[in-house]
Amino acid sequence: MSNMDNDTVFTPVPESERSHWLGPATVFGGLEFAVPVIMVGATLAGSFGLLEVFFILLVGLVVVQWIGNALQGYLGAKTGRPASVIARTSFGAIQARFIVGLALVVLNMGWFGINTATAGNAISAVVGIDYNERWLIWSVLTLIAGVIFSLPAVIGYSSMKWTDYFAVPAGLILIGSGVYFALSTTGWEGIFSWNPDSSMTIYGGISLVLGANVAQWLIASDYTRYSRPTIKDQSLIPLGIVVIGLFFFFTGAVMSVGIGEADIVNVMQELGFPFWGFIILFVALWTSQLVASYSIGLAAANMFNINSGKGRAILTLIGSLFGVLLALIGILNFFQAFLIILAVIYPAIAGIMFADFFFIRKQTWVDKQGWNWIATLSMVIGVGVGYLTQYTFPIGIPAIQSLLISMVVYIAAMKIQAKIKPNHFSELSNSFEKEIDKPVYITKTGEKGRH
């Protein structure tokens, strides 16, 4: 049976398909091969010196992002299921399908559209086409790029891993070349003496870094479901994001020093990149595109209750084509606003999933039918706090505040409901949950067990 047929959504990943932590870590590294990562680094360099940028990255990636990814990753490994299905326990099947599922679909379509548009720009630069003047030719090149990007994700997870083994090194060549050309243009002295007038606070810089990464607090389980549910593995897997993220954010900052431009293609042109640099950019973009395309299919399959590999593949292709459409209508021009929206909404959803799994459900997955209005209320309050502290009363790090508030409200409200008017969301298990549906794991003593 082909990988496409096996790559289903609701069925937990069996023990035989659980891999070494390095595989998911490699795919995770691909999450950071994204245009917004480099562009955010360039934006940070517009307000901070490189030492300040490095401090912001340490706090945003090593401290905050690592913890969030490890928690969501553990959910995926423990249950063997993707995020959109895990959310059925806390939000209820209906809400998980049409609220959480839709949020994940829109999120990944947006990422796919942004990176596909940039790929179209890069290809245009290689063949000498002005994409601002010759839109029709650019759109054809962009469409072709989008289809090529999506094919491995349509086939399934195993093909994605092999693609990343080529794309990740290409990304490393890209950032190495970027530093080289930046040094050739600006020099070490110019780079390290860079001290611009700041237009944002340190907290604002950390929030910007999280905005480019916070969606991983939801989609990490899509890939860690293929790994082992051990603290060691789930602590090491986010290394892919942390290490690659540090390099890519910082490279974006270094490349933009003295250029005053955040668009990666324009920066590369200003630095004098040869044609092969834009080809490498295309290959490096493939990693983040695979993740976005694959997650579109998983979330859409959950929305439409499709539990076949073929169905997931078709939805992956359709969703990717919608992402291409977003690229053609100009989503790249609104990428900063897109990041801010993510940083406000997604931590609240992740906070509810964390709270339910660790504090309410005692680390088990239960398929809860219906709609949990407490989850809805907690999400709205979390998003509201994130919005207010981002725009109305700027204070602290809105992403963290949104996550923590949604967790606190959810736990408190669920416990109150369990005492006053309990319903099936208050129960730890469902009568129809079968032992066979639980993923198998290997204990430290080598014995088999079930979650």
Side-chain angles (χ1 to χ4, degrees), residues 7-277:
D7 207 352
T8 58
V9 175
F10 294 98
T11 305
V13 176
E15 173 199 350
S16 60
E17 295 182 21
R18 299 298 180 104
S19 65
H20 188 273
W21 67 266
L22 189 59
T26 302
V27 176
F28 261 34
L31 288 166
E32 292 303 280
F33 286 87
V35 176
V37 173
I38 297 178
M39 296 177 71
V40 167
T43 302
L44 291 175
S47 295
F48 304 102
L50 292 189
L51 287 179
E52 292 174 306
V53 170
F54 188 68
F55 172 77
I56 290 171
L57 294 178
L58 284 179
V59 175
L61 288 175
V62 179
V63 178
V64 180
Q65 192 64 33
W66 196 328
I67 295 174
N69 280 20
L71 290 174
Q72 180 62 231
Y74 183 76
L75 265 66
K78 188 76 171 177
T79 64
R81 294 171 169 90
S84 55
V85 176
I86 296 173
R88 293 166 69 100
T89 296
S90 52
F91 284 85
I94 297 177
Q95 188 171 195
R97 287 172 57 193
F98 297 105
I99 301 297
V100 180
L102 181 61
L104 288 169
V105 168
V106 172
L107 154 73
N108 289 290
M109 282 184 183
W111 283 124
F112 195 86
I114 288 172
N115 287 327
T116 300
T118 303
N121 293 352
I123 297 173
S124 297
V126 171
V127 298
I129 294 175
D130 186 340
Y131 51 84
N132 292 313
E133 298 293 333
R134 305 179 69 178
W135 182 88
L136 183 59
I137 297 179
W138 170 84
S139 64
V140 172
L141 294 174
T142 301
L143 174 62
I144 293 173
V147 172
I148 293 175
F149 280 145
S150 67
L151 286 180
V154 171
I155 296 172
Y157 180 79
S158 63
S159 66
M160 293 170 56
K161 290 190 294 184
W162 284 108
T163 306
D164 277 346
Y165 291 148
F166 294 99
V168 170
L172 296 177
I173 294 174
L174 174 66
I175 63 175
S177 302
V179 172
Y180 171 79
F181 285 109
L183 289 174
S184 300
T185 304
T186 309
W188 285 111
E189 183 178 353
I191 290 176
F192 284 106
S193 62
W194 179 252
N195 187 28
D197 294 330
S198 181
S199 60
M200 71 176 74
T201 65
I202 293 290
Y203 285 126
I206 295 173
S207 296
L208 197 60
V209 171
L210 292 178
N213 287 274
V214 73
Q216 297 159 12
W217 293 356
L218 285 185
I219 66 174
S221 53
D222 292 357
Y223 308 96
T224 58
R225 65 192 178 116
Y226 287 95
S227 63
R228 293 184 289 267
T230 66
I231 294 177
K232 173 188 173 182
D233 282 33
Q234 301 313 312
S235 298
L236 289 174
I237 288 174
L239 273 175
I241 287 174
V242 173
V243 174
I244 300 300
L246 282 172
F247 276 111
F248 261 66
F249 277 115
F250 204 70
T251 297
V254 170
M255 290 174 64
S256 69
V257 169
I259 303 281
E261 176 67 61
D263 187 300
I264 180 60
V265 174
N266 288 337
V267 168
M268 291 172 64
Q269 289 177 322
E270 290 290 330
L271 291 176
F273 265 76
F275 77 94
W276 55 260

Side-chain angles (χ1 to χ4, degrees), residues 346-402:
Y346 290 97
I349 299 176
I352 294 167
M353 293 174 66
F354 294 164
D356 186 85
F357 186 78
F358 289 105
F359 297 100
I360 303 297
R361 221 62 60 188
K362 308 302 180 183
Q363 299 190 32
T364 60
W365 181 84
V366 184
D367 193 2
K368 295 290 186 180
Q369 300 301 304
W371 185 298
N372 187 359
W373 288 102
I374 288 181
T376 308
L377 174 65
S378 304
M379 180 179 65
V380 170
I381 294 177
V383 170
V385 170
Y387 180 88
L388 291 175
T389 56
Q390 175 73 50
Y391 297 103
T392 308
F393 308 103
I395 186 174
I397 304 175
I400 296 178
Q401 288 146 195
S402 178

Side-chain angles (χ1 to χ4, degrees), residues 339-352:
L339 294 181
I340 292 174
I341 292 174
L342 298 187
V344 170
I345 296 175
Y346 290 97
I349 299 176
I352 294 167

